[in-house]
Amino acid sequence: GMASDRTNIREVSMLLLSFMSDEVALWLIDKETYGPKLLSVFQTGLKDADKRVSVMTLKAFASVASKLADNFEEMLQFESLVPLMLRALTIACGQGQDDIVVEVLEIVDELSRGKKSIVDNHVEEAINSLLAITNIEGVSDDIRDTAIGLLATLMQFKTDKVMASPRVQEVHHLAFRTIVAQVQSHPQEAEEKSGCDLLSTMAVHAPSSFQQSARITVEMMASPEPHMRAAGVLALGVIAEGCADEMRLLVEPMLQHVRKVLADQSQLVKRYALVALSHFSDDLGDGFLAKHMGSIVSELLPILKGDESNEVLVSSAATVLERMASNAEKEVLQPLIKPVLIEIVQAIRLHTSQNHPKAAADLIASVGALAEGAEEDFRPFASETIELLRQLWAPANPISVRGRAMEAVGMIAKAIGKESFLPYVDQAISTGVSALNPNDNDCETQMYGLYLLQGVTDALEVDIGPHIDTFAGTLVVMLKETKSVETKKKRDSILPTGPDFEINIPRAQDDSDEDSDDKRDDEDDEDELIESDDTEDDIGVRHVTDVRTGECEKLTAAIELLKQMCKYSPLGMKSFLKDIYKVTGEELVDNQDYTVRAASYSLLADLIKAGHKLAEFFKEMKDRSSQRWVNWVSECVDELSQELLWTGTHQFDVPTSESAVLAYAKIMGIPSKFSSSVVDDAQKLIKRILKGRTACQGYMSADSQLSAYGLGRELIEENKEAEKIANAKGEQEEIPILEAATSLMVSLARRKGVNFEKKFKRIAPLLQHLVAKGQDMEARALGARGFAEASLNLGAAAQPYVADLRPVLFQLIQEIEDKQKANAQGRDLAPLTKPIYTAYWSSIWCLGILCTVSSVEMKTSYPQMSSLFLRLLDAPILLEMPDHRFRMMVKDNVAFATARMMRADSDSVPMQSLLPKVLDALPMRGDTTELEVVTNAVVALWKKREKTLLSMLPKVLGAAARTLAVAATVASDGKPPAESKGLREEGRVEIDNEGREALVQMCSEIIGEARTSGQLPTLLSGLQDGERKALEQILSSRQS
């Protein structure tokens, strides 16, 4: 009896100790006094012969350890307890102490995270204990899942030690066994369970296991047991993330296995085959799966047919189809539109009649994606499809069906364009406006109404103007009456706190003469941008709006629609601009949801830009209201700039900070007179971007910081450190901050009277390094564009940096062409993504800019450039572009670069070969923003009477006539000339008045000189009929 009493006392003592874990953790700060005593207590308890005492000691120690999990130094004194704790864990599994075991496993999981932990020297023992726990017969699912989760954590944080374990194969097989068991026990959610988590972690951190994993999955998919086949194809999808590179090399055999199980008789097998395809889309890239759409869709369509009654299965198939369609190339989609659409429409009718709203809604979404991918190729099918979708707008249908139908019609409108969608415009706008009514509709309905109006607005473009009055007022009310809870917080309180979140603003240490002015700025103004003397009543208090998730999504959709309206029809928005600006600035920028905050700053900038366009429009119309709009724009910029500066330097979430800097770049790009303080503050913000002092950059990866000019000169001067950072892997979504920094710098460089030379001395090496060593093609393309834009505006000041950048650009172009060849030959099956081609044409575009900046420096490269440009102008489909627009983008940017090279030094380039190719490229259709550069170059060559141009005047006149005819067609829309110039969407096929007049003047002079010399009949005979008629009409119009 006394022994039993002593056991009870020891057990109760440990229980009390676990209850006192907070106090014990505080005692341990004094390691010399209490640490050894507690260590002895825990050692004795864990070794206790009575299992109840050892289990309760385990609970006590785990409770204390959980309080010290983040303090490695304090925990280190207990490292010797880890083996005893693992032993006690195994014992506890047989004592019916499930809650304690799960709790302790979770705490060990927490202790195992990070580079250093007390588990580091005991990984093998941990693996042995965890494998033993999972093999205990009758152990609960909670314990087994938690133990498997801990194995995944060890694989993630202690990869080398786990891979070196002699039992790593058992861990690998455990993952597969668990997936099989969980497919049986949880058939609808096995992909969310511990088996898939462990296998996915192994794939990510040990991709060398791919061959073995692939072999096991193939064997499982060949099993006669349905649950084995289902587990096999699910496992194949799970390993896609970590083994993406390896899977791309074996894509055909892998897809063959997936297609085979898609036709399986078992619904469960089909479901997980669809899950696997979703993983392929997520992890191998949407475009990658879309390339194989033709072979996959034949297996998907039967799942959509009427004999399928499993709504979940149909929804999954429709979702896969949607993702492939929205990312497929037009060439892949074109032959599939009709057969796929027929099956989808039949399936929509079936599932709406059988009251399967989820399946019907997902099928409708796939129709919208099909239209979005097909673009104008969808026109033959638009009428019947829209009629069906309009029927589904009926109030009797569930909101998911009605909403998806509205969204799909908006996507079709955008795809087929204004002319084809005109018969449906009025009803579409009426339906969208009705859906916005808050009295009759819930938040979800309103959101789908916004999506419909977005699509219609994109389709109508400038012609949305007359319709704006029907729904702009409703949008303003929506912004004002958003259901919210207002709470006051100090402005600084939205910043993270603690030592890890301090915003460090160090002083620059640089003794170079070129930065002496910067150092004075640091001393005088460094803290003015971030520290403010304003009182709490002024800007020290923020009203943070907390709204439901659905309301946030609706607000973001409303903001995007307003931005479209500002873009396409500032005149139509005239009556609403100021009201929208007021409510956005007072309410939305303080929303607790970062997506709403980020969108709001972008909207504010677009509203100001629209106001500037209105000022320009009324100025040309000689309307007195022009000055009122000029004043409003100036007031808004002065007011908003301080908010954007504060947010760009203080706001701790990347999207909001990025949006603020981008918005700042937009308003700085407006050619308006601002107060001198605005320009000064902009230069200070650029300085902070250069030195990594915007708050959001503290949360970005090392490479993204470098890419965003964040680590500054110090690391760039350390070549090894810079190379190490450049090769580090960063988060893809963090790349947009690059555009914020680049846009702001370029906007400021464009402003007259701003000395940007000293800033460029620091930027140039960073941009060059970014082009050469950026972590991905998107970053490298941005580096090329940033250098080119800034140098173009700086002119001669940029010349010293041209020689260093030139070989880097050629190297990037060669890399991409080598990759394309390897892909074509089957040596590299990684997808050729849009960022790769963006980097390609950006590099070519930059070479053209460098010719203008420094023709002398570029002269030695003219033979190499001429050879490259001729090859691309001859074969614009040299590269396997993602779609036809990218093919045209490359061709147009080659024409742009060639024109700049010819204009810079026509005597040093093969004009006889280049000029005809450039003239054939007119009018440009892919990147029309460069059209005027090309036409101006042709005019300049005519003015200097360049001999090659004089030898092919009929070709010159034909190109000019084609270009002017297209520009005239675009501009002849019944709008006043000033509106066409000042209010039309940027990027359209247009030439401004000056450029157009120069082109017409050249044509007139050529014809006049030919008439004088008697060569006019010969000249005109060299024109095609269409070119001759267009030229006659243009010249006749000019004379009249």
Side-chain angles (χ1 to χ4, degrees), residues 31 142 174 192 211 233 241 307 312 340 411 415 430 499 577 652 668 719 744 746 788 838 840 881 923 939 1037:
K31 288 186 287 187
D142 283 347
L174 172 64
E192 304 296 334
Q211 292 291 346
V233 73
E241 178 183 3
D307 58 353
V312 173
V340 170
M411 296 170 78
S430 174
L577 282 184
F652 61 85
M668 287 303 298
N719 292 330
L744 181 55
V746 170
T838 301
Y840 191 76
M881 301 296 169
V939 171
S1037 174

Side-chain angles (χ1 to χ4, degrees), residues 710-925:
L711 295 186
R713 299 165 305 220
E714 295 80 11
L715 288 182
I716 289 301
E717 290 167 1
E718 298 292 334
N719 292 330
K720 292 183 180 179
E721 186 67 17
E723 179 134 356
K724 173 183 172 185
I725 293 169
N727 293 328
K729 291 184 178 179
E731 296 297 327
Q732 194 75 16
E733 58 267 21
E734 291 166 347
I735 291 297
I737 193 68
L738 301 172
E739 293 198 17
T742 302
S743 298
L744 181 55
M745 290 187 296
V746 170
S747 293
L748 193 64
R750 286 174 176 167
R751 298 193 66 78
K752 294 180 180 179
V754 177
N755 184 356
F756 199 62
E757 286 187 39
K758 292 179 179 178
K759 306 296 181 294
F760 193 73
K761 289 180 181 180
R762 189 179 303 154
I763 295 167
L766 288 159
L767 290 171
Q768 179 189 333
H769 191 84
L770 180 60
V771 176
K773 299 289 186 180
Q775 77 170 43
D776 58 21
M777 287 297 178
E778 192 170 358
R780 297 175 76 177
L782 188 62
R785 295 200 303 274
F787 187 100
E789 288 238 25
S791 62
L792 184 62
N793 288 284
L794 288 170
Q799 289 181 4
Y801 310 100
V802 169
D804 290 333
L805 182 64
R806 180 183 56 194
V808 175
L809 291 172
F810 282 122
Q811 174 192 343
L812 178 55
I813 291 170
Q814 189 62 51
E815 278 183 39
I816 296 172
E817 293 199 354
D818 289 345
K819 183 175 181 63
Q820 188 273 333
K821 291 175 184 176
N823 191 280
Q825 296 169 5
R827 292 183 286 109
D828 181 0
L829 296 181
L832 297 167
T833 58
K834 290 184 179 180
I836 292 176
Y837 297 111
T838 301
Y840 191 76
W841 66 253
S842 296
S843 302
I844 293 169
W845 183 82
C846 187
L847 285 173
I849 297 291
L850 297 186
C851 293
T852 300
V853 172
S854 181
S855 178
V856 174
E857 186 62 51
M858 292 296 292
K859 188 172 183 177
T860 57
S861 296
Y862 284 164
Q864 184 179 0
M865 291 170 63
S866 298
S867 175
L868 172 67
F869 295 166
L870 279 172
R871 175 161 54 85
L872 292 176
L873 288 170
D874 271 334
I877 314 181
L878 170 70
L879 300 177
E880 184 188 334
M881 301 296 169
D883 56 45
H884 70 289
R885 288 168 299 184
F886 270 72
R887 287 193 283 273
M888 292 192 294
M889 286 285 283
V890 170
K891 181 176 179 180
D892 289 350
N893 278 276
V894 172
F896 164 88
T898 307
R900 282 193 175 274
M901 181 175 68
M902 293 190 303
R903 185 171 183 178
D905 191 353
S906 60
D907 295 332
S908 301
V909 298
M911 292 290 292
Q912 201 69 35
S913 303
L914 289 172
L915 183 57
K917 301 296 182 184
V918 171
L919 294 174
D920 288 340
L922 294 174
M924 297 160 73
R925 297 286 188 178

Side-chain angles (χ1 to χ4, degrees), residues 221 229-230 233 254-278 280 289 292-304 308 313-314 316-318 320-321 324:
M221 285 188 285
R229 298 197 299 276
V233 73
M254 291 295 104
L255 282 179
Q256 284 178 13
H257 290 297
V258 175
R259 288 198 297 267
K260 183 177 179 180
V261 292
L262 272 174
D264 201 286
Q265 295 300 310
S266 167
Q267 302 275 20
L268 184 65
V269 177
K270 287 182 180 180
R271 180 182 185 281
Y272 282 117
L274 293 168
V275 170
L277 285 177
S278 295
F280 289 173
L289 188 60
H292 302 274
M293 183 176 178
S295 61
I296 297 172
V297 76
S298 60
E299 306 298 341
L300 286 178
L301 293 182
I303 299 176
L304 307 180
E308 297 290 351
L313 201 62
V314 175
S316 299
V320 171
L321 192 59
M324 288 194 299

Side-chain angles (χ1 to χ4, degrees), residues 424-545:
Y424 313 102
V425 166
D426 291 338
Q427 186 180 2
I429 290 178
S430 174
T431 302
V433 172
S434 297
L436 300 185
N437 188 337
N439 298 323
D440 301 329
N441 300 291
D442 59 12
C443 178
E444 188 178 2
T445 305
Q446 291 175 297
M447 193 160 57
Y448 282 121
L450 291 167
Y451 293 154
L452 172 58
L453 291 173
Q454 285 178 8
V456 174
T457 301
D458 267 330
L460 295 182
E461 297 183 348
V462 295
D463 292 322
I464 192 63
H467 302 278
I468 284 179
D469 283 346
T470 60
F471 57 90
T474 305
L475 292 176
V476 175
V477 173
M478 181 181 291
L479 298 185
K480 289 180 177 179
E481 296 184 354
T482 299
K483 297 173 184 176
S484 60
V485 178
E486 292 278 337
T487 57
K488 286 189 176 182
K489 290 189 177 183
K490 283 190 176 182
R491 188 162 197 158
D492 288 343
S493 69
I494 67 170
L495 290 170
T497 57
D500 292 337
F501 294 99
E502 291 179 0
I503 298 177
N504 184 26
I505 310 174
R507 300 259 179 214
Q509 299 296 325
D510 191 348
D511 297 328
S512 61
D513 294 338
E514 64 193 40
D515 288 324
S516 59
D517 290 341
D518 288 348
K519 289 165 65 177
R520 283 195 292 272
D521 287 344
D522 287 348
E523 295 170 1
D524 299 336
D525 304 319
E526 184 84 350
D527 295 328
E528 291 180 12
L529 191 59
I530 291 185
E531 303 297 336
S532 173
D533 294 329
D534 294 324
T535 64
E536 185 175 290
D537 290 334
D538 184 14
I539 63 168
V541 175
R542 282 208 151 194
H543 297 275
V544 181
T545 307

